[in-house]
Amino acid sequence: MLCPLADAHPTNFALTLFPGQEYNNARILDFQEVHKHASNAVSILQVTRSFTPPVAQIVDHWLMQTPRMSWHDVHMTISGPSVLDIVQHFTERWNELKQRKHKSDGRYDWLAYPHDKLAAPNEPVHHLRHRDEWLEKGRRFRQRFQKGPEWKPMDDDHPHLEPAGSCKVQVVRSCSDWSHGVLKEQSIQNAYIELIREAEHYIYIENQFFISNTGDNGPVQNRIAQALVERIIRAAREGKRFKVVVLIPEVPGKYYNAVADLQRILAATWRTINRGGNSIYEEVRAAGYEPKDYIRFYHLRSYDRINAPWPTFIKHMEEQSGVTFHQAQVALAKQWIGVSEIWQQDTVSIKQPVVTKEGIVVPENETETEEIPLPATVEEATATIEKFQNGAKGLRDDRQVSDSVAHHALINDTRLLDEKWLGTEEEELAAYVSEILYIHTKLMIVDDRRVICGSANINDRSQKGNGDSEIALVVEDTDMVDGCMDEQPYKVGRFATSLRRKLYREHLGLIKPEPVDIPTNFKMPAPTPNPIEFGSVEDKLVADPLSVAMENLWNGTAQRNRAIFAELFKTVPSDMVRNFEQYKSLERVKKRLSEVRGHLVEAPLEFLIDEKGIWENADWIGLNPTLQVFI
């Protein structure tokens, strides 16, 4: 997977991948007025301030760039009878909102369950209290999975969409009276706990949050952490090798309006992992075992280079063309939107944080905003873009410069050290950026045999049933293939092991960049199968998640990447910076970044561990009634 942080294409705006608010960095600034989707919440342009050295170069290098924040996610599509359970979940949610908010609004239909009672009379859905009422007045989806006597083929039926896989799929969910008009259900949490308890060797978790409890120790209610502790201690007592690998974002959530909000999320996470008295690490240590021998935590991070040098290129393009970069950017938005009767917007806002000489980003309410008029017609927009791009004539041939260098973290035939740059060394140094690769996944893979994936985070809001409405799929493949576990032969499920291996290769940089404009089977929904990649050199490296070689590769990559990012992209001011020469070595920056492989970094679990006031306060003894919003 390619994770570009840069999306500036001064001489060819048609290459833009992330239009308008798609170019977003939620760590810096959340989406603004999302109905104005052509607006940019943050500027993609590299700007140089008129500060005097050395402040100017320090500020420009570390603060003036606003890379987009790439997201990592995992989704599934299915075809088969379980689709009807998903439709049931959607129907109940839709009708509950219809009942509460739009009961008399004819624009929104009632929906009926699509299940066929004659074909499958024992389905529990037929005993639900609203079933007959909704069937009489509701709009019913056509389905092809239960074919009773009344089912008839239609001309638009597609035979190739008939289920053809080998997986058993169970739909689980979190819902209650307020969201679905049903009794509380927390089958997602139940599934997580059961899968963890039944794990034999290995658990792999990716999740946007990791907030749980090891017992009755405060306001957090879900017990996924308790299940992990119990399974780890059981393995330790039996003298068996057992591993849990957890990937979560460096900063969970989004842009926070107050420091206290972010602290609550981080505190809840740390209290789950390694502090507060009853965390996973503390419970395992209390049982007499070293937790890092069994469970470790990791993040994802990426780097890139933004090709928008202001002094030597963009500034002169603007002067020669009479069009600013942002005017061309807004004209591109008009090209995308075209003529719309629904979408109306006269101007486009582009915001960027104000940076002070002290190197501090000013809060959102003091951001600079530039309002750019939207061209009246698509023809005017096209002319504006062409005029700006023609401003590069006589300056340089920008085709020699890569608009992104993120692919060098993956397998490719070129080297970062050979990437050309036609501006000054100071501009190129300032163009390098690093950012969190935000983990939005909600996934657990157990023993390369079972998978649970869906919308539910590991926190109370998703897991306790009467919080957010969530849905997930539990998948177990009946197609078992030869694999390895702890360097011993072991049968694994084709679906689970291929998914886990693909993720490992992605995080370790053992895949080739996948061009965004070329369709592949990996981008197609079910029932198009993903290609089988077993047997390659890279696949063999990650086939056994418990082998010593795999563990050394995984941890070695995470530690090396973390060290490089900490060295090159440290905050300012920092005691790690002893002289100005450390900022000026472009050669050193490129050499060190060329050593980054993949996006895996080790989680710094000792960060702020002595600041007990963050994670030991009134919030965690039940004195904050608003805490449920965050956990």
Side-chain angles (χ1 to χ4, degrees):
M1 181 182 70
L2 185 60
C3 301
L5 308 182
D7 197 25
H9 313 275
T11 58
N12 190 355
F13 275 66
L15 296 177
T16 301
L17 291 175
F18 306 100
Q21 295 212 37
E22 290 294 321
Y23 191 94
N24 176 258
N25 189 322
R27 185 182 58 80
I28 295 174
L29 190 67
D30 200 8
F31 294 106
Q32 305 290 305
E33 297 182 288
V34 292
H35 61 284
K36 297 181 178 179
H37 44 270
S39 296
N40 270 66
V42 293
S43 173
I44 69 175
L45 188 62
Q46 175 187 332
V47 180
T48 299
R49 297 293 188 190
S50 58
F51 299 142
T52 58
V55 173
Q57 294 183 38
I58 293 176
V59 169
D60 286 346
H61 187 182
W62 303 115
L63 293 174
M64 288 314 298
Q65 304 303 303
T66 307
R68 65 176 293 271
M69 180 188 287
S70 291
W71 279 36
H72 167 74
D73 219 333
V74 175
H75 300 278
M76 293 193 296
T77 61
I78 66 169
S79 178
S82 294
V83 169
L84 297 178
D85 292 335
I86 297 174
V87 176
Q88 176 186 339
H89 182 75
F90 178 82
T91 298
E92 290 169 356
R93 176 65 173 152
W94 178 279
N95 286 349
E96 183 63 22
L97 287 175
K98 168 78 172 171
Q99 175 71 25
R100 290 177 182 265
K101 297 184 177 181
H102 308 285
K103 188 174 182 178
S104 302
D105 193 332
R107 294 177 300 170
Y108 307 109
D109 293 330
W110 293 93
L111 299 181
Y113 295 126
H115 304 68
D116 192 321
K117 189 173 183 177
L118 294 176
N122 296 323
E123 288 281 346
V125 68
H126 299 307
H127 303 290
L128 296 178
R129 58 192 176 100
H130 294 305
R131 187 256 181 192
D132 293 337
E133 177 189 350
W134 290 352
L135 189 61
E136 181 179 343
K137 67 179 181 182
R139 180 177 176 181
R140 188 176 182 180
F141 291 101
R142 174 174 167 77
Q143 55 87 18
R144 61 182 183 278
F145 305 115
Q146 296 175 350
K147 298 179 180 179
E150 298 179 356
W151 192 92
K152 294 180 181 180
M154 297 180 66
D155 293 339
D156 60 351
D157 285 336
H158 299 286
H160 71 280
L161 292 179
E162 292 296 327
S166 58
C167 293
K168 295 184 291 185
V169 179
Q170 179 180 357
V171 178
V172 290
R173 60 181 183 169
S174 293
C175 57
S176 62
D177 179 67
W178 82 264
S179 61
H180 284 71
V182 300
L183 296 177
K184 188 181 85 165
E185 180 178 339
Q186 57 177 46
S187 53
I188 294 178
Q189 182 183 168
N190 297 342
Y192 265 91
I193 291 173
E194 183 176 349
L195 290 170
I196 291 168
R197 287 174 176 169
E198 295 179 355
E200 296 179 357
H201 303 282
Y202 174 78
I203 297 172
Y204 177 73
I205 295 172
E206 290 185 3
N207 208 283
Q208 182 184 7
F209 291 94
F210 196 77
I211 299 172
S212 186
N213 210 328
T214 61
D216 189 15
N217 309 309
V220 180
Q221 299 175 26
N222 81 81
R223 294 293 186 267
I224 293 174
Q226 182 177 11
L228 287 169
V229 168
E230 291 172 351
R231 184 62 190 90
I232 288 169
I233 293 176
R234 175 157 58 93
R237 288 174 177 166
E238 293 172 352
K240 294 182 178 179
R241 186 168 167 82
F242 186 81
K243 294 288 183 182
V244 182
V245 172
V246 183
L247 271 68
I248 55 177
E250 287 190 32
V251 182
K254 57 181 182 62
Y255 177 83
Y256 293 92
N257 293 318
V259 173
D261 296 346
L262 174 59
Q263 286 184 354
R264 288 188 182 100
I265 294 290
L266 292 174
T269 304
W270 292 334
R271 288 173 64 89
T272 305
I273 298 173
N274 71 332
R275 56 191 88 170
N278 301 103
S279 65
I280 293 173
Y281 275 32
E282 289 167 307
E283 290 292 317
V284 174
R285 283 199 180 103
Y289 307 103
E290 172 51 47
K292 288 186 179 179
D293 291 340
Y294 299 92
I295 181 169
R296 285 178 177 255
F297 293 81
Y298 305 87
H299 307 309
L300 298 176
R301 177 169 280 275
S302 188
Y303 76 87
D304 210 338
R305 187 183 69 179
I306 298 177
N307 180 26
W310 170 262
T312 64
F313 192 41
I314 303 298
K315 177 182 177 182
H316 296 297
M317 286 184 68
E318 292 185 345
E319 291 172 348
Q320 290 193 175
S321 66
V323 177
T324 68
F325 180 92
H326 286 160
Q327 286 174 332
Q329 188 179 345
V330 170
L332 182 65
K334 179 62 179 180
Q335 281 189 326
W336 287 318
I337 298 301
V339 179
S340 173
E341 297 179 358
I342 301 175
W343 182 84
Q344 300 292 333
Q345 186 173 337
D346 296 327
T347 61
V348 170
S349 300
I350 297 177
K351 299 184 179 182
Q352 61 186 58
V354 177
V355 179
T356 69
K357 292 184 179 181
E358 292 76 27
I360 300 173
V361 179
V362 177
E364 175 187 348
N365 59 358
E366 297 184 39
T367 55
E368 290 182 347
T369 300
E370 185 177 4
E371 296 286 342
I372 308 293
L374 200 69
T377 64
V378 173
E379 291 73 19
E380 181 184 341
T382 301
T384 299
I385 294 171
E386 292 177 351
K387 188 176 180 181
F388 176 80
Q389 292 175 167
N390 289 334
K393 291 181 178 179
L395 297 177
R396 74 185 203 192
D397 183 5
D398 201 51
R399 292 174 296 180
Q400 303 177 56
V401 182
S402 297
D403 291 333
S404 171
V405 298
H407 57 282
H408 288 292
L410 307 177
I411 296 174
N412 65 92
D413 298 327
T414 60
R415 302 191 312 158
L416 177 64
L417 296 173
D418 296 331
E419 287 286 356
K420 290 189 176 182
W421 182 264
L422 300 181
T424 65
E425 285 194 6
E426 289 78 11
E427 286 176 329
E428 184 178 9
L429 188 63
Y432 280 100
V433 293
S434 176
E435 186 53 83
I436 294 168
L437 205 171
Y438 191 76
I439 298 169
H440 193 252
T441 327
K442 299 92 168 61
L443 169 76
M444 183 171 74
I445 303 174
V446 177
D447 294 329
D448 275 11
R449 290 180 172 178
R450 293 169 164 180
V451 175
I452 181 169
C453 181
S455 67
N457 294 309
I458 296 180
N459 60 7
D460 273 4
R461 288 185 54 161
S462 290
Q463 297 288 342
K464 66 181 182 179
N466 56 1
D468 294 346
S469 170
E470 308 285 7
I471 194 167
L473 303 179
V474 180
V475 182
E476 186 170 5
D477 202 339
T478 60
D479 182 10
M480 304 300 285
V481 298
D482 293 332
C484 285
M485 194 67 68
D486 197 12
E487 303 181 18
Q488 298 296 319
Y490 187 76
K491 288 291 187 179
V492 293
R494 183 182 296 274
F495 172 74
T497 194
S498 61
L499 174 59
R500 199 269 308 160
R501 293 186 200 185
K502 186 74 171 183
L503 290 169
Y504 263 43
R505 289 170 52 209
E506 175 188 328
H507 300 330
L508 293 169
L510 299 176
I511 61 173
K512 293 182 179 180
E514 190 174 78
V516 296
D517 57 342
I518 299 177
T520 67
N521 284 354
F522 284 114
K523 299 176 182 178
M524 302 298 290
T528 302
N530 290 337
I532 299 300
E533 300 178 309
F534 297 158
S536 68
V537 173
E538 295 78 19
D539 176 71
K540 290 178 180 179
L541 289 173
V542 301
D544 183 351
L546 284 189
S547 73
V548 174
M550 176 64 252
E551 186 175 10
N552 291 338
L553 174 62
W554 184 267
N555 287 327
T557 300
Q559 292 163 5
R560 181 181 65 249
N561 288 350
R562 168 62 71 189
I564 293 172
F565 285 126
E567 173 189 341
L568 299 182
F569 296 99
K570 45 189 166 285
T571 56
V572 177
S574 169
D575 290 337
M576 296 179 69
V577 182
R578 303 302 297 271
N579 57 73
F580 190 59
E581 290 300 317
Q582 291 181 290
Y583 282 104
K584 295 166 63 176
S585 178
L586 174 62
E587 181 181 359
R588 169 175 154 271
V589 169
K590 295 180 73 170
K591 181 179 183 301
R592 292 292 280 149
L593 285 179
S594 69
E595 298 169 8
V596 171
R597 287 293 173 268
H599 307 107
L600 188 71
V601 294
E602 192 173 41
L605 296 183
E606 301 299 307
F607 179 65
L608 293 181
I609 198 166
D610 293 330
E611 294 291 334
K612 293 186 177 181
I614 296 177
W615 42 271
E616 284 187 356
N617 54 52
D619 285 350
W620 310 108
I621 58 174
L623 299 183
N624 182 354
T626 67
L627 188 64
Q628 297 300 320
V629 174
F630 302 97
I631 63 173

